[in-house]
Amino acid sequence: MDAKMLLVDEVRLTPILISDPPLLNVQGVHQPFTPRLVVEVITRGGVSGLGETYGDGVYLEIARPIAEALPGRAVTDVNSLFALTASADPALPAAEGGGVDVDASIDAGGLRGARTADKLRLSVVSAFETACLDALGKSLGLPVHALLGGKVRDTVEYSAYLFYRWAAHPGAGPTDDWGAALDPAGIVAQARRFDRLHGFRSFKLKGGVFAPEREIAAIRALAEAFPGRPLRLDPNGAWSVETSLAVARELGDALEYLEDPASGTGAMAEIAARTDVPLATNMCVTTFEEVPEAFAKGAVRIVLCDHHYWGGLHRTRELAALCRTYGVGLSMHSNTHLGISLAAMTQVAATLPGLDHACDTHYPWQTEDVVTPRPVFRAGRLAVSDAPGLGIELDRTALATLHRRWLDDDGTLRDRDDAAAMRVADPAWRTPPVPRW
Ligand code: GKR
Ligand code: MG
């Protein structure tokens, strides 16, 4: 192939709003619609590659200069993408009520640890990297996993992501037929439906919503309903060291791992030193800079990778290599996402030898998508596509509809804000400082 065909001719950025159910977490509740950004990179050979990432305004600002700088560069040149973000100077959030405190340093809504300018840049770079690899794979007739060195498995296992939730958003919003889940019976019913629909074997409960006793009861109910199945609980750092240890004592026999029981490497290390329950994180190890201290202190036994904020599929593999080197396990984190991200997650997961836990995905909660046909989980697994690129097709009609929703929004939903969404139901709500319990 003529290398000129691999030069980028055009880049399209399409911000969209996708419907999201009223899922509860420590910061509040998901908004009725959440922003995502779809990146399309079109080569001179006329091949289009797809990427997806967070769509809040701050990510869009970083994406624009990359999109402008990319034409004329080769889709093979993914290592230079980060340098293209140099001119973007993303604004970091202030705490509610002003000032900077621990709440402000935690990613608002996304709950994926400290929010830094570089992490925001990497989250945007990841979508361009994915789009370039998709375009390269399609141009060469190779799946993305082949560009990453080849798959080591034919299917990738995902876990059911259980949430406390309301039946409907307060005020207007999209509806679904899942109903409320606010107690152990509701959580077990949700798990049964996930099991029936998608065959998931392992279950993760998003905690930090209710007092720990209530969440312990939910895990106990799950253990009874699904004996021997891997169970995880993730309160997003909402507990103190002592509370985390008390929960670990109560649930030690039932948990595959306890995810981010407390906030910060120091607290996690203290808990790890005093319990045998494996601790996992997608909050205290979220950048390469955070690795040395956390690994040296033995703060976590499992790191949840995420190609979005780790900066792409190649960097996810670098993280995996580090984890292997230090004997730390690997799982995969998820946030609200569509089928482009799911395809990228599956392609990179297929190449990670040390991925020994089922990956998280919010995808089954999403009723809308921009890819067609929608991926189907069988026995909780997705088959790894061997089709060129990511192996997905863009549904342009769906993309246009979701973009139209973004254009029509008055600006209030263009940034994910779970605390603001909670205030619709409870005007006095403020994201609770951690530790909450
Ligand atoms: O979607 O509410 C949510 C989750 O809490 C998400 O924001 C987290 O980033 O799922 C994530 C996690 O594992 O912490
Ligand atoms: Mg987590």
Side-chain angles (χ1 to χ4, degrees):
M1 139 155 346
D2 182 349
K4 286 205 188 82
M5 294 296 112
L6 296 178
L7 297 180
V8 176
D9 196 37
E10 188 191 341
V11 177
R12 292 186 199 140
L13 301 180
T14 313
I16 56 177
L17 280 177
I18 61 171
S19 66
D20 213 13
L23 309 179
L24 296 158
N25 61 32
V26 67
Q27 292 187 342
V29 63
H30 286 207
Q31 297 173 146
F33 299 99
T34 206
R36 297 294 285 172
L37 173 64
V38 173
V39 173
E40 276 178 89
V41 167
I42 298 129
T43 65
R44 285 197 190 160
V47 172
S48 153
L50 295 169
E52 174 191 343
T53 191
Y54 310 99
D56 311 48
V58 68
Y59 299 99
L60 281 176
E61 273 169 40
I62 301 169
R64 285 193 188 108
I66 311 181
E68 277 162 27
L70 214 48
R73 292 168 182 265
V75 289
T76 48
D77 200 8
V78 291
N79 288 341
S80 69
L81 286 171
F82 187 75
L84 303 182
T85 67
S87 66
D89 189 14
L92 295 174
E96 279 182 354
V100 172
D101 63 14
V102 74
D103 287 343
S105 73
I106 300 277
D107 210 346
L111 297 165
R112 46 191 187 267
R115 183 161 170 151
T116 68
D118 276 356
K119 215 158 111 188
L120 294 171
R121 291 188 178 104
L122 288 166
S123 302
V124 177
V125 163
S126 71
F128 286 90
E129 190 224 39
T130 305
C132 285
L133 293 176
D134 186 30
L136 178 60
K138 283 179 183 157
S139 303
L140 300 176
L142 293 172
V144 166
H145 67 71
L147 306 178
L148 301 174
K151 62 180 178 179
V152 296
R153 55 180 66 83
D154 291 321
T155 61
V156 171
E157 186 180 3
Y158 285 89
S159 63
Y161 205 153
L162 311 177
F163 275 85
Y164 291 109
R165 56 160 292 165
W166 296 326
H169 289 280
T175 51
D176 63 22
D177 62 355
W178 282 82
L182 297 164
D183 57 16
I187 292 295
V188 168
Q190 195 182 90
R192 286 198 195 287
R193 183 161 170 185
F194 270 123
D195 184 33
R196 209 169 46 245
L197 288 177
H198 308 294
F200 294 124
R201 303 276 316 150
S202 58
F203 299 96
K204 161 164 165 173
L205 175 61
K206 174 57 51 178
V209 176
F210 296 117
E213 309 77 64
R214 207 155 146 186
E215 300 187 349
I216 289 170
I219 293 289
R220 282 264 161 250
L222 285 169
E224 206 178 307
F226 299 95
R229 301 276 200 99
L231 303 177
R232 310 156 183 185
L233 176 59
D234 174 14
N236 282 115
W239 304 333
S240 68
V241 168
E242 292 311 321
T243 301
S244 303
L245 287 166
V247 175
R249 274 193 299 276
E250 285 289 330
L251 291 179
D253 57 329
L255 289 178
E256 175 191 15
Y257 55 71
L258 188 54
E259 188 174 317
D260 290 306
S263 282
T265 297
M268 290 287 280
E270 208 181 323
I271 300 162
R274 294 166 60 193
T275 180
D276 288 336
V277 176
L279 301 188
T281 189
N282 67 274
M283 293 183 72
C284 75
V285 181
T286 60
T287 63
F288 288 107
E289 292 73 24
E290 290 167 332
V291 167
E293 185 193 352
F295 285 14
K297 289 185 171 164
V300 291
R301 303 241 296 262
I302 297 119
V303 171
L304 279 76
C305 62
D306 183 318
H307 76 272
H308 302 93
Y309 57 78
W310 281 90
L313 308 184
H314 283 294
R315 287 173 62 104
T316 299
R317 287 180 44 76
E318 289 167 13
L319 168 66
L322 262 184
C323 288
R324 276 202 304 285
T325 308
Y326 286 91
V328 170
L330 194 68
S331 187
M332 190 179 279
H333 168 258
S334 145
N335 224 303
T336 301
H337 66 88
L338 294 181
I340 301 173
S341 281
L342 186 63
M345 289 156 72
T346 305
Q347 288 288 313
V348 71
T351 71
L352 303 174
L355 186 71
D356 30 27
H357 302 273
C359 302
D360 287 349
T361 178
H362 280 57
Y363 187 75
W365 288 113
Q366 273 22 93
T367 52
E368 299 171 325
D369 203 350
V370 294
V371 307
T372 178
R374 283 188 67 126
V376 176
F377 296 89
R378 296 192 201 289
R381 293 172 170 275
L382 283 183
V384 177
S385 167
D386 293 320
L390 292 171
I392 50 173
E393 285 301 321
L394 184 62
D395 178 342
R396 291 202 176 275
T397 310
L399 184 70
T401 305
L402 304 188
H403 180 54
R404 168 54 47 202
R405 185 186 283 150
W406 185 89
L407 288 172
D408 290 346
D409 179 63
D410 60 6
T412 46
L413 295 174
R414 289 187 182 179
D415 293 302
R416 179 173 161 182
D417 188 341
D418 297 9
M422 188 60 126
R423 279 194 285 277
V424 177
D426 173 5
W429 176 264
R430 292 288 174 275
T431 295
V434 292
R436 184 171 179 194
W437 289 283

